[in-house]
Amino acid sequence: MLAWLKDKGRVVDFMLSAHAALRDRYSRLATASVCVILALSAISAALAFAPGNPRLAALLWVRDLDLPLIALATLVFVLSLLDLVFDFRGRAAKHAEASRQLAALKHDFATAGHASEALLLRYSMVTSSIAPIPERQFLRLKEKHLFKIEVSKTLSRVHGITLRRARKLVRARGRNLLDDD
Protein backbone atom coordinates (compact mmCIF):
# COMPACT_ATOMS: atom_id res chain seq x y z
CA MET A 1 0.00 0.00 0.00
CA LEU A 2 2.97 2.32 0.48
CA ALA A 3 3.77 1.99 -3.24
CA TRP A 4 0.18 3.00 -4.03
CA LEU A 5 0.54 6.03 -1.79
CA LYS A 6 3.76 7.10 -3.55
CA ASP A 7 2.34 6.52 -7.04
CA LYS A 8 -0.82 8.51 -6.36
CA GLY A 9 1.23 11.18 -4.61
CA ARG A 10 3.33 11.60 -7.76
CA VAL A 11 0.16 11.77 -9.88
CA VAL A 12 -1.29 14.44 -7.61
CA ASP A 13 1.99 16.39 -7.73
CA PHE A 14 2.01 16.28 -11.54
CA MET A 15 -1.65 17.28 -11.77
CA LEU A 16 -1.03 20.17 -9.39
CA SER A 17 1.84 21.44 -11.55
CA ALA A 18 -0.20 21.01 -14.74
CA HIS A 19 -3.26 22.82 -13.42
CA ALA A 20 -1.13 25.61 -11.97
CA ALA A 21 0.60 26.05 -15.35
CA LEU A 22 -2.76 26.11 -17.15
CA ARG A 23 -4.18 28.54 -14.57
CA ASP A 24 -1.25 30.91 -15.09
CA ARG A 25 -1.39 30.62 -18.89
CA TYR A 26 -5.12 31.32 -19.12
CA SER A 27 -4.84 34.13 -16.61
CA ARG A 28 -2.12 35.80 -18.70
CA LEU A 29 -4.21 35.35 -21.87
CA ALA A 30 -7.27 36.85 -20.15
CA THR A 31 -5.28 39.86 -18.97
CA ALA A 32 -3.68 40.36 -22.39
CA SER A 33 -7.05 40.04 -24.12
CA VAL A 34 -8.69 42.65 -21.90
CA CYS A 35 -5.73 45.03 -22.26
CA VAL A 36 -5.75 44.79 -26.08
CA ILE A 37 -9.52 45.31 -26.25
CA LEU A 38 -9.35 48.30 -23.88
CA ALA A 39 -6.42 49.87 -25.72
CA LEU A 40 -8.10 49.50 -29.12
CA SER A 41 -11.37 50.81 -27.66
CA ALA A 42 -9.57 53.89 -26.33
CA ILE A 43 -7.94 54.51 -29.72
CA SER A 44 -11.29 54.01 -31.44
CA ALA A 45 -12.96 56.51 -29.11
CA ALA A 46 -10.16 59.01 -29.67
CA LEU A 47 -10.58 58.71 -33.44
CA ALA A 48 -14.34 59.15 -33.11
CA PHE A 49 -13.83 62.51 -31.37
CA ALA A 50 -11.48 63.77 -34.08
CA PRO A 51 -13.49 63.50 -37.31
CA GLY A 52 -12.10 65.39 -40.24
CA ASN A 53 -8.79 66.20 -38.58
CA PRO A 54 -6.44 66.46 -41.56
CA ARG A 55 -3.23 66.14 -39.51
CA LEU A 56 -4.42 62.93 -37.84
CA ALA A 57 -5.54 61.55 -41.23
CA ALA A 58 -2.12 62.38 -42.67
CA LEU A 59 -0.44 60.70 -39.72
CA LEU A 60 -2.41 57.51 -40.47
CA TRP A 61 -1.76 57.88 -44.24
CA VAL A 62 -5.48 58.06 -45.11
CA ARG A 63 -7.68 60.77 -46.66
CA ASP A 64 -10.33 60.68 -43.96
CA LEU A 65 -10.72 58.86 -40.67
CA ASP A 66 -13.97 57.02 -41.43
CA LEU A 67 -12.39 53.87 -42.82
CA PRO A 68 -9.80 53.40 -40.02
CA LEU A 69 -12.50 54.10 -37.44
CA ILE A 70 -14.84 51.50 -38.96
CA ALA A 71 -12.02 48.94 -39.21
CA LEU A 72 -10.94 49.57 -35.62
CA ALA A 73 -14.49 49.34 -34.27
CA THR A 74 -15.00 46.08 -36.15
CA LEU A 75 -11.73 44.71 -34.81
CA VAL A 76 -12.73 45.60 -31.23
CA PHE A 77 -16.09 43.92 -31.73
CA VAL A 78 -14.53 40.73 -33.17
CA LEU A 79 -11.92 40.59 -30.39
CA SER A 80 -14.67 41.00 -27.79
CA LEU A 81 -16.60 38.11 -29.33
CA LEU A 82 -13.47 35.93 -29.39
CA ASP A 83 -12.84 36.81 -25.75
CA LEU A 84 -16.34 35.60 -24.91
CA VAL A 85 -15.94 32.41 -26.94
CA PHE A 86 -12.52 31.42 -25.59
CA ASP A 87 -13.43 32.47 -22.03
CA PHE A 88 -9.86 32.66 -20.73
CA ARG A 89 -11.02 33.98 -17.32
CA GLY A 90 -13.41 31.05 -16.88
CA ARG A 91 -10.71 28.54 -17.84
CA ALA A 92 -8.25 30.18 -15.44
CA ALA A 93 -10.84 29.98 -12.64
CA LYS A 94 -11.48 26.26 -13.28
CA HIS A 95 -7.78 25.43 -13.17
CA ALA A 96 -7.28 27.65 -10.11
CA GLU A 97 -9.98 25.68 -8.29
CA ALA A 98 -8.37 22.40 -9.41
CA SER A 99 -4.99 23.64 -8.14
CA ARG A 100 -6.52 24.56 -4.78
CA GLN A 101 -8.13 21.14 -4.35
CA LEU A 102 -5.01 19.29 -5.49
CA ALA A 103 -2.80 21.30 -3.13
CA ALA A 104 -5.01 20.23 -0.22
CA LEU A 105 -4.93 16.63 -1.46
CA LYS A 106 -1.14 16.77 -1.79
CA HIS A 107 -0.97 17.88 1.83
CA ASP A 108 -3.14 14.92 2.83
CA PHE A 109 -0.83 12.54 0.98
CA ALA A 110 2.26 14.09 2.54
CA THR A 111 0.91 13.80 6.07
CA ALA A 112 -0.66 10.35 5.69
CA GLY A 113 1.47 7.60 7.11
CA HIS A 114 -0.40 4.90 5.25
CA ALA A 115 -3.04 4.47 2.56
CA SER A 116 -6.55 4.46 3.94
CA GLU A 117 -10.06 4.12 2.57
CA ALA A 118 -10.71 7.76 3.41
CA LEU A 119 -7.64 8.89 1.47
CA LEU A 120 -8.58 6.70 -1.50
CA LEU A 121 -12.12 8.10 -1.46
CA ARG A 122 -10.84 11.69 -1.24
CA TYR A 123 -8.42 11.03 -4.12
CA SER A 124 -11.26 9.68 -6.27
CA MET A 125 -13.57 12.57 -5.40
CA VAL A 126 -11.00 15.27 -6.17
CA THR A 127 -9.67 13.77 -9.41
CA SER A 128 -13.16 13.14 -10.76
CA SER A 129 -14.50 16.59 -9.91
CA ILE A 130 -11.75 18.88 -11.22
CA ALA A 131 -11.38 20.22 -14.76
CA PRO A 132 -9.59 17.77 -17.05
CA ILE A 133 -6.13 18.42 -18.42
CA PRO A 134 -6.48 18.88 -22.19
CA GLU A 135 -5.17 15.76 -23.93
CA ARG A 136 -3.11 17.62 -26.49
CA GLN A 137 -1.28 19.52 -23.71
CA PHE A 138 -0.67 16.53 -21.44
CA LEU A 139 2.81 15.52 -22.66
CA ARG A 140 4.09 19.10 -22.84
CA LEU A 141 2.87 19.72 -19.28
CA LYS A 142 4.45 16.47 -18.11
CA GLU A 143 7.74 17.47 -19.74
CA LYS A 144 7.57 20.84 -17.99
CA HIS A 145 6.80 19.21 -14.63
CA LEU A 146 9.64 16.68 -14.87
CA PHE A 147 12.05 19.42 -15.99
CA LYS A 148 11.00 21.50 -12.98
CA ILE A 149 11.69 18.57 -10.64
CA GLU A 150 15.17 18.01 -12.12
CA VAL A 151 16.03 21.72 -11.88
CA SER A 152 14.81 21.74 -8.28
CA LYS A 153 16.96 18.72 -7.42
CA THR A 154 19.98 20.38 -9.06
CA LEU A 155 19.41 23.58 -7.10
CA SER A 156 19.24 21.57 -3.87
CA ARG A 157 22.31 19.49 -4.70
CA VAL A 158 24.62 22.30 -5.89
CA HIS A 159 24.59 25.18 -3.42
CA GLY A 160 25.06 28.65 -4.86
CA ILE A 161 24.17 27.68 -8.41
CA THR A 162 21.94 30.07 -10.32
CA LEU A 163 18.60 29.02 -11.74
CA ARG A 164 19.83 29.68 -15.26
CA ARG A 165 22.91 27.48 -14.75
CA ALA A 166 20.80 24.72 -13.19
CA ARG A 167 18.50 24.73 -16.22
CA LYS A 168 21.50 24.50 -18.54
CA LEU A 169 22.92 21.58 -16.55
CA VAL A 170 19.64 19.67 -16.71
CA ARG A 171 19.35 20.26 -20.47
CA ALA A 172 22.97 19.16 -20.97
CA ARG A 173 22.34 15.97 -18.95
CA GLY A 174 19.31 15.26 -21.13
CA ARG A 175 21.35 15.72 -24.31
CA ASN A 176 24.08 13.44 -22.94
CA LEU A 177 21.50 10.76 -22.19
CA LEU A 178 20.24 11.01 -25.77
CA ASP A 179 23.79 10.78 -27.13
CA ASP A 180 24.48 7.63 -25.07
CA ASP A 181 21.48 5.82 -26.57
Side-chain angles (χ1 to χ4, degrees), residues 37-101:
I37 290 170
L38 287 176
L40 291 177
S41 296
I43 293 170
S44 179
L47 287 177
F49 287 114
N53 185 334
R55 289 194 312 197
L56 186 57
L59 183 69
L60 296 173
W61 297 350
V62 293
R63 282 194 188 169
D64 65 30
L65 295 174
D66 290 343
L67 189 59
L69 184 59
I70 291 169
L72 199 55
T74 305
L75 180 63
V76 168
F77 181 69
V78 169
L79 289 175
S80 300
L81 289 178
L82 290 175
D83 186 55
L84 286 174
V85 169
F86 288 115
D87 189 23
F88 295 127
R89 279 175 293 285
R91 290 181 185 188
K94 285 180 185 174
H95 291 291
E97 176 59 23
S99 296
R100 189 189 63 70
Q101 288 187 33

Side-chain angles (χ1 to χ4, degrees), residues 4 11 13 22 27 33 35 45 79-80 83 91 109 118 125 129 135 138 143 157 169 172:
W4 178 88
V11 170
D13 190 41
L22 290 170
S27 182
S33 174
C35 288
L79 289 175
S80 300
D83 186 55
R91 290 181 185 188
F109 271 82
M125 286 176 55
S129 67
E135 184 67 28
F138 180 83
E143 173 194 12
R157 211 174 23 244
L169 280 174

Side-chain angles (χ1 to χ4, degrees), residues 5-180:
L5 196 62
K6 284 184 177 179
D7 284 348
K8 296 304 178 194
R10 279 195 295 267
V11 170
V12 168
D13 190 41
F14 161 68
M15 291 175 66
L16 177 57
S17 288
H19 282 287
L22 290 170
R23 174 201 62 205
D24 294 346
R25 178 184 308 148
Y26 290 130
S27 182
R28 282 191 304 269
L29 285 171
T31 301
S33 174
V34 166
C35 288
V36 167
I37 290 170
L38 287 176
L40 291 177
S41 296
I43 293 170
S44 179
L47 287 177
F49 287 114
N53 185 334
R55 289 194 312 197
L56 186 57
L59 183 69
L60 296 173
W61 297 350
V62 293
R63 282 194 188 169
D64 65 30
L65 295 174
D66 290 343
L67 189 59
L69 184 59
I70 291 169
L72 199 55
T74 305
L75 180 63
V76 168
F77 181 69
V78 169
L79 289 175
S80 300
L81 289 178
L82 290 175
D83 186 55
L84 286 174
V85 169
F86 288 115
D87 189 23
F88 295 127
R89 279 175 293 285
R91 290 181 185 188
K94 285 180 185 174
H95 291 291
E97 176 59 23
S99 296
R100 189 189 63 70
Q101 288 187 33
L102 288 166
L105 186 60
K106 183 178 177 181
H107 176 266
D108 292 347
F109 271 82
T111 56
H114 62 282
S116 65
E117 286 291 323
L119 191 58
L120 176 63
L121 181 63
R122 181 151 160 64
Y123 174 82
S124 295
M125 286 176 55
V126 168
T127 55
S128 64
S129 67
I130 59 176
I133 295 171
E135 184 67 28
R136 67 179 195 284
Q137 297 180 26
F138 180 83
L139 292 177
R140 190 183 50 74
L141 291 168
K142 185 173 182 177
E143 173 194 12
K144 190 175 183 177
H145 171 70
L146 294 174
F147 182 75
K148 181 179 83 173
I149 289 172
E150 288 302 315
V151 169
S152 178
K153 286 179 181 176
T154 302
L155 286 170
S156 296
R157 211 174 23 244
V158 184
H159 297 287
I161 191 170
T162 63
L163 177 60
R164 186 180 201 171
R165 180 78 179 136
R167 287 178 174 159
K168 282 184 176 180
L169 280 174
V170 170
R171 286 189 185 107
R173 269 193 306 231
R175 279 192 297 268
N176 290 340
L177 286 174
L178 289 175
D179 292 342
D180 292 343

